């Protein structure tokens, strides 16, 4: 079956950095866009970044643009999210998702398989 597993979350001080990883299996990884979303308690899930199957095209939420960088290693079926200059408002559970298509999408409905989430907490 298709599986997506996130890792790398943790507690970090404001201004610090974290690197999240997302390992996928059971899919043609290079043919699928991947996305990162996040959700804080009692808040709606929000888009963070999407990256195309090739890894050459990405779209970032305005709130993270210039601070977060997505990359992928298709040989290892893994996508990464490098988070720099973290702010307390970045605190959330971060979810990785495998897309239905090769092209990028900011919509959760365009993703078929979701990971379990990894907690990111940024202290002030």
């Amino acid at each position: 079956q298709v599986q997506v597993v996130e890792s790398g979350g943790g507690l970090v001080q404001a201004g610090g950095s974290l690197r999240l990883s997302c390992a996928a299996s059971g899919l043609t990884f290079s043919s699928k866009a991947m996305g990162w979303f996040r959700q804080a308690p009692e808040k709606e899930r929000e888009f963070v970044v999407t990256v195309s199957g090739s890894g050459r095209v990405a779209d970032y939420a305005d709130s993270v643009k210039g601070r977060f960088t997505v990359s992928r290693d298709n040989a290892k079926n893994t996508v990464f999210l490098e988070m720099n200059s973290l702010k307390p408002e970045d605190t959330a559970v971060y979810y990785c998702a495998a897309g239905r298509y090769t092209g990028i999408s900011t919509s959760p409905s365009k993703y078929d398989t979701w990971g379990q989430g990894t907690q990111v907490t940024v202290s002030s």
Side-chain angles (χ1 to χ4, degrees), residues 36-39 43-49 59-69 81-92 94:
W36 287 96
F37 297 79
R38 66 188 183 186
Q39 188 168 19
K43 295 185 67 177
E44 296 180 354
R45 184 174 299 179
E46 66 174 348
F47 163 76
V48 177
V49 63
D59 190 19
Y60 296 83
D62 288 342
S63 60
V64 307
K65 196 171 298 181
R67 300 188 298 119
F68 291 11
T69 303
L81 183 63
E82 181 72 31
M83 305 185 294
N84 300 311
S85 302
L86 283 162
K87 306 174 181 179
E89 48 263 49
D90 294 318
T91 296
Y94 283 70

Side-chain angles (χ1 to χ4, degrees), residues 37 45 47 105-112 114:
F37 297 79
R45 184 174 299 179
F47 163 76
S105 177
T106 63
S107 174
S109 67
K110 299 299 189 295
Y111 295 85
D112 284 334
W114 295 75

